[in-house]
Amino acid sequence: NAGVTQTPKFQVLKTGQSMTLQCAQDMNHNSMYWYRQDPGMGLRLIYYSASEGTTDKGEVPNGYNVSRLNKREFSLRLESAAPSQTSVYFCASSEAGGPLQPQHFGDGTRLSIL
Amino acid sequence: AQSVTQLDSHVSVSEGTPVLLRCNYSSSYSPSLFWYVQHPNKGLQLLLKYTSAATLVKGINGFEAEFKKSETSFHLTKPSAHMSDAAEYFCVVRGGSNDYKLSFGAGTTVTVRA
């Protein structure tokens, strides 16, 4: 079972370059999420998509854009990368809404911006 | 708004001894609470969840957690640590008017000594 697949796993960018992180899930989940993980800060929500065709901002959306391409895929774009965006990025998915549904995570994309 | 505080950033135990990871939460609503584990270079895996049913929740790999409303706590325990339990653990709360957002604690790193 693939679950949540993120590509690429590692990437190094120069300041000002653009980049799209890809995420796909095969569990037929309605909701998808993008987080960033920084040391000592847990995970912080960047954007989420409650269902196909909708996206909303999370805690730290500045400098990012997202696209919910279809039910399976949810991409995260950095238009002009900055060193402060060096982080590990996680995509997650869950069944539609409600407090009972846990989120399933991919293995992460490790992004360094020089 | 909801939040979680993990009281220990690092816990070190000997193999075969009990593990206790402490978590306090704050929520304006009846919360849903989760514990996730993250092994090195991996995504987060759900250990267990509390969703207002039994206050003692059993999870995978011998872990359990007890929800105590009077103390606003959701501590994670395991009777006997195994080397494979070395990882980072996150306490997570989900609640409030927007069910899609999770609030993560900063994480507790567990080291297991042989």
Side-chain angles (χ1 to χ4, degrees):
Chain A
N1 294 333
V4 179
T5 302
Q6 293 183 234
T7 55
K9 295 188 183 305
F10 302 94
Q11 186 69 48
V12 178
L13 294 177
K14 294 181 179 179
T15 298
Q17 288 186 313
S18 61
M19 171 84 192
T20 299
L21 308 185
Q22 306 287 352
C23 174
Q25 53 90 10
D26 62 1
M27 295 172 284
N28 202 35
H29 284 167
N30 287 300
S31 303
M32 298 185 73
Y33 313 80
W34 276 105
Y35 294 89
R36 60 178 288 172
Q37 182 180 28
D38 301 293
M41 300 183 75
L43 276 69
R44 293 180 292 168
L45 182 66
I46 305 172
Y47 270 93
Y48 67 100
S49 171
S51 61
E52 188 178 355
T54 68
T55 60
D56 286 284
K57 295 178 179 179
E59 295 176 70
V60 288
N62 291 344
Y64 305 95
N65 286 300
V66 290
S67 295
R68 183 72 182 268
L69 303 171
N70 47 55
K71 191 172 185 179
R72 290 187 65 246
E73 298 173 286
F74 188 39
S75 63
L76 178 72
R77 183 162 178 85
L78 287 69
E79 290 290 352
S80 179
S84 61
Q85 295 177 304
T86 293
S87 188
V88 183
Y89 291 85
F90 287 97
C91 178
S93 69
S94 71
E95 294 289 347
L100 300 180
Q101 305 303 335
Q103 296 182 8
H104 300 261
F105 288 80
D107 285 346
T109 295
R110 284 147 185 83
L111 183 61
S112 293
I113 298 162
L114 307 177
Chain B
Q2 63 269 9
S3 65
V4 289
T5 301
Q6 291 183 242
L7 301 175
D8 307 290
S9 60
H10 186 249
V11 169
S12 181
V13 298
S14 297
E15 191 175 20
T17 65
V19 181
L20 169 65
L21 305 183
R22 299 181 295 163
C23 172
N24 286 347
Y25 71 90
S26 171
S27 177
S28 303
Y29 300 84
S30 181
S32 296
L33 293 155
F34 307 83
W35 275 99
Y36 282 84
V37 60
Q38 184 182 29
H39 288 94
N41 299 315
K42 289 292 186 182
L44 279 71
Q45 180 186 16
L46 180 68
L47 278 178
L48 50 80
K49 63 180 181 181
Y50 166 77
T51 55
S52 74
T55 56
L56 184 62
V57 182
K58 293 188 183 299
I60 62 171
N61 301 336
F63 285 94
E64 64 180 34
E66 186 171 9
F67 174 73
K68 291 187 176 181
K69 186 175 181 179
S70 60
E71 298 176 10
T72 61
S73 69
F74 189 57
H75 300 336
L76 181 71
T77 60
K78 183 173 180 178
S80 177
H82 190 270
M83 295 300 289
S84 61
D85 295 327
E88 190 161 19
Y89 293 78
F90 293 95
C91 182
V92 183
V93 64
R94 184 178 193 182
S97 58
N98 188 332
D99 285 334
Y100 298 101
K101 296 185 177 181
L102 301 180
S103 293
F104 285 76
T108 299
T109 300
V110 173
T111 303
V112 182
R113 303 184 301 272

